[in-house]
Amino acid sequence: MGPLAGLKVIEMAGMGPGPFAAMLLADLGAEVVRVDRWSAAGDLPETETRVRSTSPRSYVLHRGRRSVGVDLKTEAGKQVVLRLCAQADALIEGFRPGVMERLGLGPAACRELNPRLVYGRMTGWGQDGPLAQRAGHDINYIAMSGLLNSCKRVGERPLPPVNFVGDFGGGGLMLALGVVSACWEAARSGQGQVVDAAIVDGSAVLTSMLYGLMAQGRWVDEPGTNFVDTGSPYYEVYETSDGRFLSVGAIEPRFYRELLLGLGLDQDPIMQNQDDRAAWPAMKRRVAEVVATRTRDEWERVFEGTDACVAPVLSITEAAMHPANIAREVFFEADGIVQPSPAPRFSRSTASSERLPPEPGEHSAQVLRDWGVTEEEIDGWLKAAAVGPA
């Protein structure tokens, strides 16, 4: 049983960071119910249509919870969500500011029925401010937070780190942390609150270390010239003879010495002063020349058992098959789909993902029963097509 067992969360169906936050909560044991949009007429938003046009089971971010299909355009559908809110500890949503209010499901309406409800809101720009109503995506939010510009080498344009850092790091993780924190506080105060999780805010927080290093004079605001942004020879990715790559992160002097020993550069004069910034470009070229003489797997064997902080750069497919990851069960397979295992791990509680991603509306009637709704109410909502499928 996960550490969040007993926590009841409503997830208003969305994309990206919201579902990721819901997955994290479900992985850790929370009872998460996903409210998918339902329409008997089939006039669903594009995002909902996309889920139904592919295999819903393949949506890994939807794992671990059950789904209720609700027609949010109807008064009866609104009452379904409010009925669930009365029994929930938290609700999370990822619409633009004001959308939930227009549906009659804003924080005031939901918390009127349940003052202890924590209302988690996931947006890119936040609930207020000059950009609140503007469209955007991960790349835009991390661009404005200052994070994206740090992801580049000297003389190159910034390289977006997929959408890992904004949507999932600064967004979904922060939302999950915010919800759990607010629920902890509500258990003591008896009062819920709104959690305003903005990706621009969260991704800015991820740069906190750099502000401290700049204040110490150990970092300059010139990406690609610092010790852990590919400026140094000991924190870089190098190409091997087979066209693959090796990661090097030998920051500490003793690790750097082990790196040089493995590369056979321990006696090379140019490599002796690790922190000689003027020599870094020449040192990088020297390391690159040596790394290019062997394959990635050969280098992995050279550095096996050492503290040189060297590791092969694995593809998504390779990562699931690496012996170290297999031994630790970093990945698992469910319904034929390989995916990352829940994290973090606990000494007593068990984080798991036993439930497969649901079909939209797959558990409508059963969830409502489990959450205390009467059979008469359920039948009425089904007949009115406020809830589906029947």
Side-chain angles (χ1 to χ4, degrees), residues 42-60:
D43 54 340
L44 296 169
E46 179 186 352
T47 53
E48 297 292 321
T49 304
R50 189 183 309 159
V51 173
R52 288 162 173 79
S53 66
T54 58
S55 169
R57 300 286 190 219
S58 68
Y59 280 74
V60 172

Side-chain angles (χ1 to χ4, degrees), residues 19-20 26 100 108 126 159-160 203 208 229 297 301 310 328 354 382:
F20 180 63
M100 287 292 282
L159 179 64
S203 60
S208 298
D229 65 357
D297 294 346
R301 289 191 289 271
V310 173
R328 189 164 163 79
E354 296 179 354
L382 287 171

Side-chain angles (χ1 to χ4, degrees), residues 72-365:
L72 297 176
K73 295 180 180 179
T74 66
E75 178 62 28
K78 183 182 79 171
Q79 293 303 317
V80 173
V81 177
L82 291 174
R83 189 78 159 79
L84 292 172
C85 285
Q87 304 296 319
D89 296 295
L91 176 147
I92 61 176
E93 58 95 359
F95 302 121
R96 287 199 206 188
V99 171
M100 287 292 282
E101 282 81 354
R102 291 194 290 274
L103 290 171
L105 297 171
C110 294
R111 295 190 60 242
E112 182 178 355
L113 295 173
N114 180 2
R116 294 179 66 255
L117 183 73
V118 169
Y119 200 102
R121 315 197 81 167
M122 179 81 263
T123 60
W125 305 113
Q127 293 299 311
D128 52 33
L131 300 179
Q133 291 296 332
R134 184 181 297 182
H137 280 295
D138 175 293
I139 192 171
N140 310 123
Y141 310 136
I142 66 174
M144 288 288 287
S145 72
L147 192 152
L148 178 58
N149 194 56
S150 297
C151 302
K152 69 177 181 182
R153 291 183 169 84
V154 173
E156 298 184 9
R157 59 185 175 180
L159 179 64
V162 194
N163 64 334
F164 302 141
V165 177
D167 280 351
F168 300 126
L173 276 169
M174 291 294 185
L175 176 59
L177 175 62
V179 166
V180 170
S181 299
C183 286
W184 169 268
E185 193 278 337
R188 286 149 182 76
S189 68
Q191 292 294 311
Q193 58 186 306
V194 174
V195 178
D196 179 0
I199 297 172
V200 68
D201 299 351
S203 60
V205 169
L206 297 179
T207 67
S208 298
M209 180 189 75
L210 302 189
Y211 284 88
L213 290 173
M214 284 195 294
Q216 298 162 25
R218 299 171 58 201
W219 192 273
V220 294
D221 199 8
E222 298 177 20
T225 67
N226 297 284
F227 68 102
V228 291
D229 65 357
T230 75
S232 73
Y234 52 81
Y235 204 93
E236 180 58 286
V237 174
Y238 294 98
E239 187 170 1
T240 55
S241 65
D242 54 350
R244 294 194 280 184
F245 298 92
L246 197 70
S247 70
V248 172
I251 301 172
E252 292 78 5
R254 63 190 181 93
F255 300 154
Y256 180 69
R257 288 193 294 270
E258 292 210 36
L259 171 66
L260 295 186
L261 283 170
L263 294 173
L265 295 175
D266 51 306
Q267 301 301 317
D268 192 319
I270 197 175
M271 303 298 300
Q272 298 312 303
N273 189 349
Q274 179 181 358
D275 294 318
D276 183 0
R277 287 177 174 254
W280 277 359
M283 294 164 73
K284 288 180 70 171
R285 288 193 295 271
R286 186 74 183 99
V287 174
E289 291 169 358
V290 174
V291 172
T293 63
R294 299 189 187 187
T295 68
R296 187 195 67 183
D297 294 346
E298 287 173 335
W299 281 120
E300 183 176 11
R301 289 191 289 271
V302 166
F303 287 103
E304 185 176 1
T306 75
D307 280 340
C309 300
V310 173
V313 177
L314 304 176
S315 69
I316 295 290
T317 303
E318 289 177 314
M321 299 185 294
H322 193 279
N325 291 335
I326 291 174
R328 189 164 163 79
E329 298 180 345
V330 178
F331 300 89
F332 75 105
E333 184 176 326
D335 200 33
I337 298 174
V338 176
Q339 56 197 279
S341 299
R345 305 181 188 195
F346 302 84
S347 60
R348 289 188 296 103
S349 304
T350 302
S352 66
S353 288
E354 296 179 354
R355 287 178 175 156
L356 296 173
E359 298 274 351
E362 180 178 351
H363 311 97
S364 294

